[in-house]
Amino acid sequence: MTATQIPPNSAGRSASRAPAVPDTSAQGGRDRRVRVVARLPPEVKQRAEYWASKRGFSSVNEYVAEAVSEQIRRENFDYDLPTLEIARLNELTDHITALSANCANLERVVLSGFDTLIQLTRGDNYLLDDESGES
């Protein structure tokens, strides 16, 4: 594996927002991550420190590493949609299906109405027939 590849976790995606702790047991206790230098504006660093402490990361570096991994998963479309987003998407799909059915019904009614008007103007209406006198 090269330094630019990121090893996938066991499930292929993050199951929770908990900090990712590298597995160093098979590596003799050494951390095998590659050092990357990033320059952040002061306000971004301050926000990163806030969120790192809020999410339980021991340092901003771990938070940035997890943020980069998460962004790479997003770029690869490897993420779960939250439940509310799935529900809303299903609701919108149902509304579009209902709208499609309504359009088909309106089309059928309009065509039927035009056919009736054409029949009336041609004189093919049973109401215009002469009565035979039988009741």
Side-chain angles (χ1 to χ4, degrees):
M1 181 181 313
T2 65
T4 58
Q5 295 175 332
I6 294 180
N9 59 7
S10 61
R13 58 179 75 175
S14 174
S16 68
R17 298 275 185 213
V21 177
D23 183 20
T24 58
S25 59
Q27 301 163 356
R30 290 186 355 211
D31 189 3
R32 305 273 302 181
R33 294 182 290 184
V34 178
R35 179 176 295 277
V36 176
V37 178
R39 295 169 80 60
L40 301 174
E43 61 273 0
V44 173
K45 183 179 183 276
Q46 184 179 8
R47 283 185 278 162
E49 288 172 344
Y50 169 77
W51 283 107
S53 66
K54 187 168 183 164
R55 298 271 170 107
F57 289 94
S58 62
S59 70
V60 175
N61 290 337
E62 288 183 15
Y63 178 74
V64 169
E66 180 64 24
V68 168
S69 296
E70 186 172 332
Q71 182 61 30
I72 289 171
R73 284 192 301 273
R74 285 183 186 162
E75 297 275 341
N76 292 330
F77 300 109
D78 184 20
Y79 56 89
D80 293 325
L81 292 175
T83 309
L84 290 177
E85 289 178 357
I86 291 172
R88 181 63 177 153
L89 189 59
N90 289 338
E91 182 182 355
L92 290 173
T93 304
D94 291 341
H95 285 293
I96 289 173
T97 304
L99 184 61
S100 176
N102 286 343
C103 284
N105 289 337
L106 284 173
E107 179 184 2
R108 188 174 36 83
V109 167
V110 168
L111 290 177
S112 173
F114 281 133
D115 285 343
T116 303
L117 285 174
I118 289 172
Q119 287 177 0
L120 280 173
T121 57
R122 279 191 295 183
D124 293 344
N125 190 351
Y126 73 94
L127 295 174
L128 296 176
D129 291 342
D130 290 333
E131 290 186 25
S132 63
E134 298 177 11
S135 317

